[in-house]
Amino acid sequence: MPIVSPQSLVGARSPIYITANYSSLAASLTDVTFDIFIWTGARNSRPASAQYTLFRDVFAGNDVSFDIAPMVREYLSNSYEGFDATDVSYAPDGSVVWVQIDYEVNYINKATPPQTINDTGSSDIFESSNGYHIFIEAANKEVNKGFASVNAQKYIKNNGNETVPVYLGKWGEGYDIYWAYKDRVIADGGTVEGTTLCANIGLEYVEILGDGGYNIDIRMTESQLQNLQAEGRVLLLPCGVSNLGTWVESVSEVLTYTNYYEINLKDKDGTTLDTRRFYPTCEAKYTPSVMQFINKNGLWESVTFFKRSEETIDASGEQYRKSIGSSSALGFSYSTTNPLYQRYNVNGRKRFTLNTGWVGEDYKQIVEQMLISERVMLDGLPVNVSTQNITLQKSVNDKNINYTVEVEEAFDIRYV
């Protein structure tokens, strides 16, 4: 394929380069047209018309690339929902979109006499989210299949609901590979004997493993792994004490642990494909606050601040010196209860100073992504992170690691 594009989930907060790769023919290109299709909903329901058309007819003898990320971002949103699920669910609508590029390239070949060749086609369909990649990952870095949360270990409240995202990988070649293979075989007139138990490919079940060794296996279904919706490429698994407990009860089990439990993604042979560990934490003195933010992969991530918090109000406004008093037959007089300086446009915002409590060194990844997230919520209300500079702590330097973060409500106290 002469068009180079992503193959799976890529973040639109970084450039998404689409390249017309014609190698030795690059110097002979006369014009390139890209039709950009961006849509939500079913993978096989691409819009009839492209959302954008890009055209270029002036070249410097090189392959040509277009950055389509700004266009893709126009179709992405991150609804604040999906944290209370008691079964397998999916990323909120608008969190992930499908993208495909139709191309038309004209170039002059090396025939005698030279002829203008018209080449057309379509890229693979890939997914995009409000994520990003970092500089050292190079261009068009795609999200790896597996857990799409930041840390392998997380401290959570000892009650309540949370979910953890899982990206299934490239369509038909990720954790859904068995079902895609089965569909191809049947489409070619063949048959598939047995079930997934006969195939050691893809995601077979989710294991909930307590620190005492008690484990629960919950099998994944075809409908869960082969959801045609764009947001269906990201599973949300219950991981909070309350909603995970409800999920395991649905298979007649009980969530059993002492200090922590793990959620493991496994294939048919029991090989662990990816894992996350959760430490339910009881905070006796303070009321924990839960912050959620859009992480590097473009999905909701949570972090709990267990320790001391402070709340302050920053008021703002303007004032002017007004004229007071009046003249009468008795002379000029004014009331001493009438202010000479009058305030107006007065409003305020609340600030919160939060502390994580003792955490592991790997929490620096959460803090880093939190600080550069464009969408942050605190206990269900929108906030902006005010902290602009923070030291990423190391256990070799700091025996106990605690992060202090300041946030500001993303709205005024007085609605205007």
Side-chain angles (χ1 to χ4, degrees), residues 3-6 16-20 34 64-68 101 126:
I3 295 298
V4 181
S5 68
I16 302 175
Y17 292 113
I18 310 299
T19 302
F34 285 167
V64 59
S65 295
F66 294 89
D67 174 17
I68 67 169
I101 295 87
F126 61 92

Side-chain angles (χ1 to χ4, degrees), residues 343-408:
R343 298 181 74 194
Y344 66 100
N345 287 343
V346 179
N347 218 322
R349 290 189 190 181
K350 292 182 180 180
R351 286 178 175 265
F352 302 89
T353 302
L354 309 166
N355 287 276
T356 59
W358 307 137
V359 295
E361 186 174 322
D362 60 348
Y363 257 61
K364 64 184 180 182
Q365 299 178 64
I366 284 186
V367 172
E368 175 184 316
Q369 295 186 27
M370 178 203 314
L371 258 61
I372 61 175
S373 178
E374 296 179 343
R375 182 109 157 85
V376 184
M377 305 287 287
L378 180 66
D379 293 332
L381 294 174
V383 296
N384 292 316
V385 178
S386 304
T387 301
Q388 299 293 311
N389 182 282
I390 198 167
T391 299
L392 300 177
Q393 302 174 46
K394 298 180 179 179
S395 55
V396 69
N397 300 328
D398 308 279
K399 186 175 181 180
N400 294 317
I401 296 176
N402 170 76
Y403 285 104
T404 301
V405 177
E406 186 176 87
V407 300
E408 182 180 53

Side-chain angles (χ1 to χ4, degrees), residues 89-251:
S89 59
Y90 305 99
D93 291 349
S95 300
V96 183
V97 295
W98 299 114
V99 182
Q100 188 176 37
I101 295 87
D102 285 357
Y103 61 89
E104 181 176 355
V105 178
N106 292 306
Y107 63 92
I108 299 173
N109 68 9
K110 297 181 180 180
T112 305
Q115 297 176 328
T116 299
I117 304 300
N118 176 259
D119 189 19
T120 61
S122 299
S123 73
D124 288 339
I125 299 174
F126 61 92
E127 309 103 337
S128 186
S129 70
N130 258 326
Y132 59 90
H133 63 265
I134 61 178
F135 179 78
I136 61 175
E137 291 175 326
N140 284 3
K141 176 64 173 67
E142 298 171 21
V143 177
N144 296 324
K145 65 185 177 184
F147 284 108
S149 57
V150 179
N151 278 22
Q153 300 184 109
K154 183 178 290 187
Y155 299 90
I156 62 175
K157 294 196 299 184
N158 65 343
N159 57 64
N161 301 322
E162 290 197 35
T163 56
V164 59
V166 176
Y167 173 53
L168 294 176
K170 181 181 178 182
W171 175 267
E173 298 181 22
Y175 287 156
D176 61 340
I177 187 171
Y178 168 82
W179 302 105
Y181 172 77
K182 176 183 176 182
D183 291 343
R184 288 194 295 269
V185 170
I186 293 175
D188 291 339
T191 59
V192 177
E193 297 182 359
T195 65
T196 55
L197 295 176
C198 301
N200 184 26
I201 53 176
L203 175 61
E204 178 66 20
Y205 60 92
V206 174
E207 177 192 51
I208 294 90
L209 177 64
D211 52 355
Y214 187 78
N215 75 306
I216 303 162
D217 295 337
I218 301 179
R219 194 169 303 281
M220 302 299 291
T221 66
E222 179 177 6
S223 62
Q224 290 169 337
L225 297 177
Q226 278 271 285
N227 189 313
L228 288 174
Q229 307 299 308
E231 59 273 11
R233 300 305 295 165
V234 177
L235 306 182
L236 300 181
L237 303 181
C239 67
V241 172
S242 299
N243 58 339
L244 179 59
T246 302
W247 191 27
V248 300
E249 287 173 5
S250 70
V251 293

Side-chain angles (χ1 to χ4, degrees), residues 305-317:
F305 293 86
F306 288 97
K307 295 303 180 179
R308 175 182 173 180
S309 64
E310 294 180 353
E311 180 178 348
T312 59
I313 296 177
D314 292 336
S316 62

